[in-house]
Each structure stands twice: as structure tokens, then as C-alpha cells.
Amino acid sequence: MERIYLDYAATTPCDPRVSEAMQPYFFEKFGNPSSIHSFGQEAKKGIEDAREITSGFLGAKPEEIVFTSGGTESNNSAIKGVAYALNSKGNHIVTSSIEHHAVTEPAKFLEKHGFKVTFVKVDKYGLVDPQDIKKAITDKTILISVMHANNEIGTIEPISEIGRIAREKDIYFHTDAVQTVGHIPVDVNELGVDLLSLSAHKFYGPKGVGALYIRKGTRLERFLHGGGQERSRRGSTHNTPGIVGMGRALELCKEKMREEAQFQTRLRDRLIKELPEKIPDIYLNGHPQKRLPNNVNFSIKYIEGESILLNLDMLGIAASTGSACTSESLEPSQVLLAIGLSHEIAHGSLRLTLGRWTKEEDIDYLLEHLPAIVQNLRAMSPLYEKK
Ligand SMILES: *Cc1c(COP(=O)(O)O)cnc(C)c1O
């Protein structure tokens, strides 16, 4: 059976051109980039070339990029790093109620250590109102962190507007851009951010590598206390193949991003139009236009998201549900609750995310089979009987 992958927001395959660019750095160019000899220097060249590409991609300067192990580390380092560095100035952080765990968990950790966090609410589309951010600011606020686009419902946030407010109030501004880099234009000056997180495995690069953009002059505690790598911000021998791979992945995105976004938007809009025509009682989550080109998220009433996933998987289709429903917890997605869905409806969500290798036929296949799956599940559902 041919398998169809519609879960690109969770991770993407590593483009074969990326793994090819990484290959020499495992055996031939294996040197420690901190070494003086030629083995070290050729590895260092790979890293510095990737730094040029990464900074250029974001409209930043090479010295403003720190390589990390991915989005989670970049977010942790930005949030805890600013909190520890500016502790004497203030102890208040403003963020949104729909952030990724890699932002909310460090924020909650800081709450246990004397910091105060305001989780600003969003509207029914998942949009943050910049005026609500402004109102949340106090004279103790040291950091604002709002994601560029949401990983579950795809909503793109008004980052430039929030950036202007942050600038006006002279407060550091971080954005988690893990879902946008490589998919839509991201420019640190247009967005007005001081800190920006990205992760290679979300844009056809390898897993376990990412970066944090740090605007020149931003005060930040070290990520890892150790050697002098990354201007002493992050001790630890560089992941040379990973960093080189991330650079190559960004080069490929630069070439093809516009075209890919256009194609994915067309397929996305087909799903947004055709699924509700074929399936009654389903509703789009997130904003109809201000959303990622590759994301749709639907609430499908009267059934559980997990049952849909299992049935799709049997047909070879990989998708995701907004609810983080594991064997231990039956908690629905915090994001879906934050946009105002009831617990019951938040359990029945389906996220389909498209990418570089998604074909029109994949969408045809899904549109052909999903209605019957929903109909069969509803026929067995006690929730549906009560309707
Ligand atoms: C995937 C993701 C992360 C985590 O990135 P990792 O590289 O997997 O640690 C953080 N934020 C968002 C929005 C994501 O989608």
C-alpha cells in the first residue's frame, strides 16, 4: 500500500539533497570545528557557511545566530536566558495562551521561581490582539513571547504589530517561528523581534538541530555553561553535519518557498471548501485566511479524533489530532480550549498538514475516503445517537 503523509507540522522528511550535503561531514570532514588544524578548519568552514545562509535567510547578521539542538532548546534558552539576565530589572513575562509546550513549560517553570507570567487570551480564530499584549505590560515586564504561527490550528499572529509595541515600551520580544521558517517569509526586522527560534526538522532538514536569532545587544544568560563555542553562549562541540544540513535546507526553501506555498494553499483551500460539502457538522479551526499555507484543522462533531486517525492509518494516511490524548491523560488540546471549543468538541479534531511531497492525488484520495470513515464512526457513536 502506498502511504500518504499529511503530518508535516509534526516533522518533515529530510530532503535527500540535504542528507547529501551532510554526508562529507561524518567521515572526511569530521574534525572538531574548534581545532586549529585543517580538519578543524574545514568543519568550521561548513558551520560558518551555514551561519551566513541562516542569517541571510532571516535578514539578520551572521553573529546574531546561535546554533542549538532545535526549537525546544531555542525557546528555553530565549525565555530562561532573558529571565535570568534581567532578573534585577523585572520579573514579569507576557505570552499567549496558545503557545507550544516549549514556551509554556519554561514559563511555568519560571513561575515557580519568583517570576510572574501573563497568558494573554486569543479570539475564536486563535488570534492574539496586540492591544491585549499592550495592556498586559507592567513596569516589571522584561519579555514578550508570542509564536509566529500556531502548530495546531495554523493561525498566523500579528507579530509586526506586537513588535512595534515591544519596541515602543523597550521590552525584549521573542517569537517561536518553528512553524513559519522555510514556509512563509520571515524577516527579523520586518517582524520587529529581538529573539527568534527555528528548527531544521520542520523545513526538510535533519532532526536535533535549530537556531536562535539574538539581536545584537540583547542581554541573555548562557544556554549551556561549558566551552567557548558560539561566542561562549553555548558550550558543546558543534553538530557539524546537522548545522550544514540546516543551511542546505534553507537554501532549498529559499529557491522553492513561494511556489510551494502557492501549491499548498490551493490544496489547503480545496480541503477547506470540499470537506464541509461532503461531511455534515464539521468546522474549520483557526483563521480562514491568516493561516499557514499547509495547515487545515477541523472539528468533527460526535466522534473522537483518535478513532479517525486509526481509520485513516489503515488506509495508509498519516494525520494528527489537536488533542494530546495519550494513554495516561484524556486532556484535550489547550489550544482548542483556548479558542473556545468545549471539551467534547475539542476531542474530535483532525489536523492535516501538507508539504514538499504532497500530491494533488493525495488530497483526492483523502477526500474520497474520509467522509465514509466519519459516517461509520458516527453510526457507532453514542454522542451521535443523542443528537
Ligand atoms: C516542533 C515545534 C517546536 C519544537 O521544536 P523541536 O525542534 O522539535 O524541539 C516548538 N515550537 C513549535 C511551534 C513547533 O511546531
Side-chain angles (χ1 to χ4, degrees):
M1 181 172 60
E2 201 197 329
R3 293 194 300 165
I4 296 174
Y5 186 76
L6 295 174
D7 199 13
Y8 280 84
T11 194
T12 63
C14 185
D15 193 300
R17 291 165 291 182
V18 168
S19 38
E20 194 185 318
M22 293 167 69
Q23 202 53 47
Y25 291 88
F26 287 99
F27 193 75
E28 285 158 55
K29 305 186 184 185
F30 70 92
N32 186 323
S34 302
S35 299
I36 302 285
H37 47 64
S38 63
F39 292 87
Q41 292 314 299
E42 62 193 6
K44 188 177 167 70
K45 175 148 189 345
I47 288 172
E48 294 315 318
D49 288 350
R51 200 186 304 280
E52 288 270 344
I53 296 165
T54 307
S55 61
F57 194 89
L58 303 172
K61 301 183 193 81
E63 63 272 22
E64 294 176 315
I65 301 298
V66 172
F67 293 118
T68 67
S69 64
T72 302
E73 184 190 327
S74 296
N75 286 344
N76 269 264
S77 301
I79 293 164
K80 291 187 245 174
V82 167
Y84 291 140
L86 299 191
N87 205 359
S88 58
K89 199 178 155 205
N91 67 346
H92 181 232
I93 294 166
V94 178
T95 186
S96 85
S97 53
I98 57 158
E99 296 298 313
H100 191 274
H101 289 297
V103 166
T104 53
E105 290 301 316
K108 286 182 196 160
F109 166 79
L110 289 170
E111 277 185 320
K112 286 194 264 171
H113 294 272
F115 291 87
K116 303 245 176 315
V117 182
T118 305
F119 295 91
V120 170
K121 289 199 170 63
V122 295
D123 71 6
K124 65 176 178 178
Y125 298 118
L127 279 170
V128 176
D129 182 343
Q131 290 311 313
D132 291 341
I133 298 286
K134 195 171 185 172
K135 282 181 221 149
I137 293 170
T138 72
D139 56 0
K140 292 270 180 262
T141 307
I142 50 174
L143 178 68
I144 299 167
S145 179
V146 177
M147 71 200 318
H148 193 188
N150 183 269
N151 48 299
E152 286 183 39
I153 57 174
T155 301
I156 300 173
E157 301 296 343
I159 296 302
S160 315
E161 281 93 322
I162 300 170
R164 276 196 284 279
I165 293 167
R167 192 64 17 109
E168 206 177 282
K169 301 270 185 185
D170 199 20
I171 296 166
Y172 287 162
F173 181 29
H174 166 252
T175 192
D176 173 347
V178 172
Q179 285 291 331
T180 52
V181 171
H183 299 276
I184 62 171
V186 174
D187 182 293
V188 291
N189 295 312
E190 267 168 38
L191 296 176
V193 294
D194 303 297
L195 299 143
L196 180 143
S197 305
L198 58 141
S199 176
H201 78 96
K202 301 288 176 78
F203 52 82
Y204 316 110
K207 291 168 182 58
V209 59
L212 181 66
Y213 157 77
I214 308 172
R215 186 177 293 278
K216 199 165 186 263
T218 305
R219 287 168 56 202
L220 200 67
E221 184 48 86
R222 292 179 184 190
F223 301 34
L224 291 173
H225 296 82
Q229 290 92 347
E230 297 297 275
R231 306 169 151 242
S232 295
R233 287 199 189 273
R234 184 182 190 273
S236 175
T237 302
H238 291 95
N239 170 7
T240 314
I243 291 167
V244 168
M246 182 163 72
R248 185 72 187 116
L250 284 175
E251 274 180 343
L252 297 172
C253 288
K254 193 166 184 170
E255 266 171 44
K256 282 273 183 253
M257 196 169 76
R258 269 176 64 121
E259 216 176 287
E260 288 181 345
Q262 256 174 24
F263 181 64
Q264 288 163 19
T265 302
R266 195 171 63 73
L267 297 185
R268 176 197 79 183
D269 291 344
R270 258 193 83 191
L271 290 170
I272 292 177
K273 178 168 177 290
E274 292 179 36
L275 279 176
E277 288 170 358
K278 292 175 188 282
I279 302 170
D281 292 319
I282 94 169
Y283 307 96
L284 182 70
N285 294 314
H287 198 280
Q289 288 92 34
K290 293 174 190 168
R291 71 186 303 130
L292 289 167
N294 72 332
N295 168 297
V296 296
N297 184 309
F298 282 99
S299 281
I300 306 183
K301 279 179 90 172
Y302 315 114
I303 43 180
E304 301 259 335
E306 285 68 26
S307 327
I308 308 173
L309 294 192
L310 292 173
N311 279 272
L312 284 174
D313 195 45
M314 284 191 272
L315 292 171
I317 303 172
S320 166
T321 169
S323 62
C325 183
T326 65
S327 47
E328 301 110 81
S329 83
L330 284 165
E331 281 303 297
S333 147
Q334 292 303 309
V335 173
L336 296 180
L337 296 180
I339 61 172
L341 300 191
S342 69
H343 271 71
E344 191 186 311
I345 294 178
H347 273 300
S349 75
L350 176 68
R351 180 186 73 180
L352 302 165
T353 46
L354 328 178
R356 187 166 286 165
W357 291 277
T358 306
K359 301 189 293 285
E360 183 103 38
E361 298 86 84
D362 300 340
I363 302 305
D364 294 336
Y365 185 76
L366 177 95
L367 284 164
E368 189 189 323
H369 288 97
L370 185 59
I373 291 177
V374 172
Q375 202 180 1
N376 291 340
L377 288 171
R378 280 184 176 161
M380 296 185 296
S381 165
L383 299 167
Y384 196 57
E385 272 170 25
K386 273 189 273 157
K387 187 189 164 186

